[in-house]
Amino acid sequence: MREHWRLVQTGYMPAAMNMAVDQAILVAHSKGLVPPTVRFYGWKPPAISIGYFQGLTEEVDLDSCRRYGVDYVRRVTGGGAVFHDQELTYSIVISETHPQMSKNILESYGRICGAIIKGLNMLGITATYAPINDILVDGKKISGNAQTRKFGVVLQHGTILLDVDVEKMFSLLKVPSEKIKDKLISDVKQRVTSVHHVLGRIRTFEQVAQAMKHGFETEFSVLFEEQHLTPEEKTLAEKFKKEYFSDSQWNFKR
């Protein structure tokens, strides 16, 4: 008999609330209040998230963000700066002791990325896992992923690029020198791809979400029950948004 997990689709949210909701689900799961949960979401307005150990002013051109109406936030996970625009973002929250989840970090990345790969297969895209945390199509990155573990719970979130505007991305990120900017843009175009580019046609957020739902259900042999956030999760999310993810001390700290 298949285990039932929870699927939460929160639509498009500002950056601070997106990160606060992931943290709220993590805390709720650590207290045994909610089952293993997969969440699909987008970003409105578009945003840059930086890794936990990065410096915002070193990585992001804040004047350009204000000019383009792009938000920013610090994640609880590590890794580099990510421009979130035309993409589907997922998160999964599951106990470290769950039989489906390896205590080995690399194995757990591989298992969760396996769900994304199966979802991409549903869309007609053949993808491969590139340890530690990337998914590639024909050698080009289509998905980046980051993981943290707190209170005995695994939180992994990642992106599936629906389309990508590399020039806009580099207008928002700081580069070591304007002289090498064009080369960086050229290099990234060679290394990054998207669902639109691979298939040659647009797939909507909803179509990709449906494929990813199938990917998670297949990889983990579970069935999803689609639910909303609980009242406690909503309260926690508002608290975390106020105290951390929309707070300048959190976002600008080193």
Side-chain angles (χ1 to χ4, degrees):
M1 184 175 176
R2 288 188 170 192
E3 185 181 1
H4 284 233
W5 287 8
R6 184 174 67 147
L7 176 64
V8 176
Q9 303 206 53
T10 52
Y12 290 81
M13 286 181 170
M17 182 54 86
N18 267 334
M19 295 298 91
V21 169
D22 277 354
Q23 183 78 358
I25 295 171
L26 183 154
V27 171
H29 187 62
S30 74
K31 295 179 177 178
L33 300 176
V34 296
T37 297
V38 172
R39 175 184 171 223
F40 298 141
Y41 56 99
W43 305 67
K44 190 175 183 178
I48 291 180
S49 72
I50 61 169
Y52 180 78
F53 298 103
Q54 291 187 298
L56 187 64
T57 55
E58 286 80 4
E59 300 293 335
V60 181
D61 186 332
L62 298 177
D63 288 336
S64 289
C65 284
R66 282 187 278 272
R67 187 161 56 249
Y68 288 112
V70 172
D71 211 349
Y72 51 81
V73 69
R74 178 185 299 278
R75 303 189 304 271
V76 296
T77 52
V82 180
F83 177 43
H84 304 278
D85 190 5
Q86 301 172 81
E87 69 175 47
L88 179 142
T89 310
Y90 78 89
S91 66
I92 177 171
V93 169
I94 183 169
S95 171
E96 286 183 296
T97 60
H98 192 284
Q100 296 261 30
M101 191 50 46
S102 172
K103 288 185 170 53
N104 180 281
I105 300 290
L106 191 59
E107 288 179 0
S108 63
Y109 263 116
R111 192 74 196 279
I112 297 169
C113 287
I116 303 303
I117 289 169
K118 287 181 171 61
L120 289 169
N121 287 342
M122 274 287 291
L123 295 169
I125 296 173
T126 301
T128 56
Y129 172 50
I132 298 175
N133 56 355
D134 287 339
I135 296 172
L136 308 181
V137 176
D138 294 330
K140 295 184 178 182
K141 181 174 175 177
I142 197 169
S143 170
N145 306 271
Q147 184 183 124
T148 189
R149 296 181 179 219
K150 296 180 185 298
F151 315 125
V153 173
V154 177
L155 163 63
Q156 181 167 316
H157 45 204
T159 63
I160 297 99
L161 289 173
L162 307 187
D163 207 348
V164 62
D165 184 341
V166 177
E167 282 86 359
K168 185 175 182 181
M169 180 174 72
F170 273 97
S171 73
L172 300 166
L173 298 176
K174 285 188 175 176
V175 295
S177 164
E178 284 296 317
K179 291 181 180 178
I180 66 170
K181 192 170 185 176
D182 288 344
K183 184 176 187 311
L184 284 173
I185 290 173
S186 176
D187 288 348
V188 170
K189 282 183 175 178
Q190 295 299 315
R191 292 189 289 109
V192 176
T193 191
S194 66
V195 171
H196 183 188
H197 181 79
V198 173
L199 295 177
R201 57 188 186 277
I202 293 172
R203 283 288 179 263
T204 66
F205 182 97
E206 291 75 17
Q207 289 172 321
V208 176
Q210 187 62 32
M212 294 303 140
K213 176 186 175 185
H214 172 83
F216 275 95
E217 286 183 327
T218 304
E219 175 66 30
F220 290 99
S221 297
V222 297
L223 291 174
F224 277 128
E225 291 184 5
E226 191 156 345
Q227 300 176 6
H228 298 294
L229 295 171
T230 66
E232 176 159 4
E233 286 172 319
K234 291 179 181 177
T235 300
L236 283 171
E238 290 292 342
K239 170 183 164 67
F240 294 144
K241 183 185 77 169
K242 180 180 179 181
E243 294 182 356
Y244 296 100
F245 300 106
S246 65
D247 186 85
S248 59
Q249 288 191 3
W250 168 266
N251 287 319
F252 284 85
K253 75 174 182 178
R254 284 305 312 269

